[in-house]
Amino acid sequence: MLDELRIRGLGVIEDAVLPLGPGLTVVTGETGAGKTMVVTGLLLLFGGRADAARVRADADQAVLDGRLHVAADSAAAVRVRDAGGELDDDTELVLRRTVSSAGRSRAYVGGAPTPVAVLGELAEQLLVVHGQADQLRLVRPGEQRAALDRFAGLDRTAYAAAYAAWREACAAYDERTGRMAELRREADLLSHGLAEIEAAEPQPGEDDDLAALAGRLAHADALRLAAHAAHDALLGDADNPAVDAADVSTLLGAAQRLLGQQSGADGELDALAGRLTELAALAADLGAEFGAYAAGLDADPVRLEQIEQRRAVLIGLVRKYADGPEPDVAAVLDWAKQAAARLAEIDVSDEAIAALAARRDSAAADLTAHASELTARRTEAAARLGTAASAELDGLAMPHARLSITVAPRSDGPGPDGADEVEFLLRPHADAPALPIGRGASGGELSRVMLAVEVCLAGTDPVPTMIFDEVDAGVGGRAAGEVGRRLARLSRNHQVVVVTHLAQVAAHADRHIVVDKLMDHTGTRAGVTASDVRVVDGDQRLAELARMLAGSDSATALDHAAELLREAADDDSPTDHRRGSRTPSRVQRQAEKKLPKTRKKAGKTPG
């Protein structure tokens, strides 16, 4: 629920605070005073499109601040926390929207800067705005179907899942059958590639292993000669011993003998001798390994040729099937895996086509069952909503009007919202034919139809706040009073804010806010440079209602305003238990106390 709205630098409003609360709040004022900026401010605060032209000429930016109460465990509270914002005392939410004169826009939710889209998401859960444009939306088939579904309390989740499954099954079947020749060619190419790879049986890392082995075989003689030389340098040549051999092993042995002769004479030398012994052992081991390596080398031209042939096969596979900056056998194996999966997807055998057809038919049967359930519930709800809305129209000075709702099969088959076309038909009077409301209803009748439908939907709408922007346009006389009564009835289950020019509507308000043009220092109107917002009650409210009725606070207008207040109090008090801020008895006493004064001043009773 909205507790307060502050508007700065927007249109004709310089700085104004609107105190809001539960029940019915009306906003009135002279034309051009800025009352429509209240709705504009609310739309901006909840993610509406920013328009730099709305910023006051003498302001750098327009600033909208809103204070709301939300349940701590509500979806709105969860979204606020997900966006990084916080709730004060777990229930109070502060929103802010700024629009600069250059058109830049910023949003803040619970103290945290957020994308403007977050405000729009919160709006879906917190309020709905009805304006004269909504009358145009109501003539759209999609809006009519949505209204009927709200009234019926339909949950289309199961249908939506069935519809998605059916569309997917149809798409798979159509693609497979529609691209048969193309898919067969693709399948042949994939099968050929897989067969070639399977025949070669490449192994992960095989190309690197073969490259290393080929390099060893190709240089076997040079490698053996180098290994023998290293062996002889370390251990000497056993096949050709020389008396004056100077191999490492002999030299280390001589050094060990000389150091052994001095063993125990000095600890530091003994430590060095120990390290020399370790070095001699390491040289002996390394020399033996060089000998074993040389003995194991075999310059086998046949084996080398076999390896080169295998490498050529692998290189051919890499060139055909490997992708990436460094193609190798691993990439070939990846392609084979993907090709096998794709081949399974594009199976064009008779068995595969039959399986897809069976899947499509099963999904269609499931969708039909869900669609039939939706149709049955819509048909039943259409009769109830038509009866209820017609009763509301009877009270809205359309006693012979009847609203009927038809539910017919869609001409193009099932859609995302079901298999039904929903249409609202209005018969304005007994002798008139029932026509679609877009063709057979005037502007004033559309206003009343929309209000009648909203009253019927009030108990099913989870949004706590409803804003009505001059939806009473084209309505007058007794119908205007009935509009006020129904808005008051809506406010029993919702917070309702109404921008209106009808005193008959304003008389039903729990809170009456007047938007006035300020007076300048000379006592004349200050044009549209600024506006003042005030909550009126008692004599001030009576004067505002009189102005709305007659354009002045003459005795006759004041008497009529007082009468409106008494009637509104009588209408609303029997079933309304929530109007603690302004009880009907108090309003009636104010009106009755005012009547004698106005009559005495005018010198006659109102005629």
Side-chain angles (χ1 to χ4, degrees):
M1 180 182 72
L2 275 166
D3 287 336
E4 185 178 272
L5 173 67
R6 184 178 183 185
I7 303 174
R8 286 176 286 172
L10 182 67
V12 299
I13 299 179
E14 183 177 351
D15 190 349
V17 176
L18 277 78
L20 303 172
L24 175 60
T25 298
V26 299
V27 181
T28 66
E30 294 181 2
T31 301
K35 57 183 182 295
T36 57
M37 286 296 104
V38 173
V39 176
T40 301
L42 283 169
L43 291 174
L44 282 172
L45 183 63
F46 284 94
R49 186 177 65 87
D51 184 357
R54 294 288 190 180
V55 180
R56 280 177 60 87
D58 58 353
D60 294 331
Q61 63 179 358
V63 182
L64 297 311
D65 293 294
R67 184 164 51 84
L68 309 88
H69 269 84
V70 298
D73 58 350
S74 64
V78 173
R79 185 65 185 94
V80 169
R81 286 188 283 268
D82 289 345
E86 297 180 354
L87 299 178
D88 296 337
D89 298 327
D90 291 329
T91 60
E92 186 173 282
L93 170 62
V94 176
L95 303 179
R96 167 171 284 197
R97 176 83 180 277
T98 64
V99 179
S100 73
S101 56
R104 292 186 297 271
S105 174
R106 291 185 174 86
Y108 303 85
V109 173
T114 64
V116 173
V118 176
L119 295 177
E121 294 175 25
L122 291 174
E124 294 178 0
Q125 304 169 41
L126 296 176
L127 90 165
V128 61
V129 178
H130 295 285
Q132 295 183 51
D134 290 271
Q135 300 166 16
L136 300 178
R137 282 201 292 269
L138 188 61
V139 306
R140 301 173 187 168
E143 294 291 331
Q144 295 174 8
R145 182 175 54 243
L148 179 60
D149 287 356
R150 281 169 54 200
F151 182 77
L154 291 186
D155 182 357
R156 296 196 301 265
T157 303
Y159 174 85
Y163 180 75
W166 173 69
R167 288 293 301 271
E168 182 182 354
C170 290
Y173 177 83
D174 292 342
E175 180 192 21
R176 197 76 59 93
T177 56
R179 301 173 53 214
M180 190 81 73
E182 178 185 348
L183 292 176
R184 280 202 176 103
R185 288 192 295 271
E186 183 182 358
D188 289 343
L189 291 174
L190 293 174
S191 297
H192 174 77
L194 286 173
E196 187 176 6
I197 294 172
E198 290 172 1
E201 295 183 351
Q203 302 300 314
E206 182 183 3
D207 48 348
D208 293 334
D209 294 340
L210 290 178
L213 183 56
R216 172 187 276 189
L217 291 176
H219 301 84
D221 291 337
L223 294 174
R224 186 186 304 109
L225 181 61
H228 273 306
H231 170 272
D232 295 346
L234 290 171
L235 300 180
D237 187 354
D239 296 332
N240 186 23
V243 178
D244 57 347
D247 57 85
V248 172
S249 179
T250 300
L251 295 174
L252 290 175
Q256 283 179 300
R257 287 192 296 274
L258 291 173
L259 292 172
Q261 296 174 5
Q262 304 301 322
S263 178
D266 181 69
E268 183 176 355
L269 187 61
D270 290 344
L272 293 173
R275 292 172 60 187
L276 183 64
T277 300
E278 295 174 359
L279 182 58
L282 179 61
D285 291 342
L286 187 58
E289 291 182 13
F290 277 122
Y293 174 82
L297 281 175
D298 184 13
D300 187 349
V302 176
R303 174 61 176 156
L304 178 60
E305 183 179 359
Q306 293 174 343
I307 290 174
E308 292 295 350
Q309 289 176 350
R310 177 62 176 174
R311 290 185 67 201
V313 171
L314 296 180
I315 291 172
L317 293 178
V318 169
R319 287 175 177 171
K320 286 183 179 180
Y321 305 111
D323 293 322
E326 297 182 4
D328 54 13
V329 168
V332 172
L333 295 174
D334 287 341
W335 181 91
K337 183 178 180 180
Q338 296 172 11
R342 175 59 180 163
L343 195 58
E345 292 177 358
I346 62 172
D347 185 359
V348 290
S349 65
D350 293 341
E351 294 80 4
I353 298 299
L356 287 175
R359 175 188 167 199
R360 177 202 59 190
D361 295 342
S362 175
D366 186 46
L367 178 65
T368 299
H370 284 90
S372 298
E373 182 181 356
L374 284 183
T375 299
R377 295 189 60 185
R378 281 172 174 158
T379 302
E380 183 273 335
R384 289 191 292 112
L385 179 56
T387 300
S390 296
E392 292 297 331
L393 290 174
D394 187 13
L396 287 168
M398 297 176 67
H400 304 295
R402 292 294 178 267
L403 183 71
S404 58
I405 302 171
T406 62
V407 179
R410 284 172 54 110
S411 58
D412 55 350
D417 300 311
D420 309 309
E421 294 284 2
V422 175
E423 189 168 39
F424 285 22
L425 305 176
L426 179 66
R427 190 185 67 183
H429 51 84
D431 297 329
L435 296 175
I437 59 175
R439 291 166 44 200
S442 65
E445 288 170 340
L446 265 180
S447 297
R448 283 176 272 184
V449 169
M450 187 191 72
L451 186 57
V453 171
E454 284 298 336
V455 170
C456 296
L457 295 177
T460 64
D461 200 331
V463 176
T465 299
M466 304 180 77
I467 313 296
F468 291 88
D469 182 17
E470 296 193 4
V471 295
D472 47 20
V475 177
R478 185 170 70 86
E482 294 297 338
V483 169
R485 292 185 183 90
R486 276 145 183 82
L487 290 170
R489 190 188 307 172
L490 278 177
S491 68
R492 296 170 191 164
N493 300 311
H494 302 269
Q495 179 190 29
V496 178
V497 180
V498 180
V499 177
T500 182
H501 65 284
L502 293 179
Q504 295 93 325
V505 172
H508 289 267
D510 297 296
R511 182 176 293 96
H512 190 153
I513 298 175
V514 177
V515 180
D516 272 337
K517 295 178 184 176
L518 287 176
M519 299 290 186
D520 64 17
H521 66 281
T522 65
T524 58
R525 294 286 187 183
V528 293
T529 59
S531 291
D532 190 31
V533 175
R534 55 193 174 92
V535 178
V536 296
D537 203 351
D539 291 347
Q540 290 183 344
R541 186 180 185 202
L542 205 62
E544 173 63 12
L545 292 175
R547 181 201 64 77
M548 296 174 71
L549 287 167
S552 67
D553 59 353
S554 67
T556 301
L558 289 169
D559 285 349
H560 192 180
E563 184 65 24
L564 281 180
L565 288 175
R566 275 199 301 271
E567 291 176 357
D570 292 339
D571 289 338
D572 300 336
S573 58
T575 57
D576 199 347
H577 56 276
R578 57 176 172 70
R579 299 176 181 266
S581 62
R582 176 186 60 77
T583 63
S585 59
R586 179 185 171 193
V587 174
Q588 191 165 359
R589 287 197 303 271
Q590 291 174 346
E592 290 174 348
K593 288 167 64 178
K594 187 68 179 174
L595 272 171
K597 297 179 182 179
T598 57
R599 287 173 178 165
K600 183 176 180 181
K601 176 181 178 182
K604 60 178 179 178
T605 58

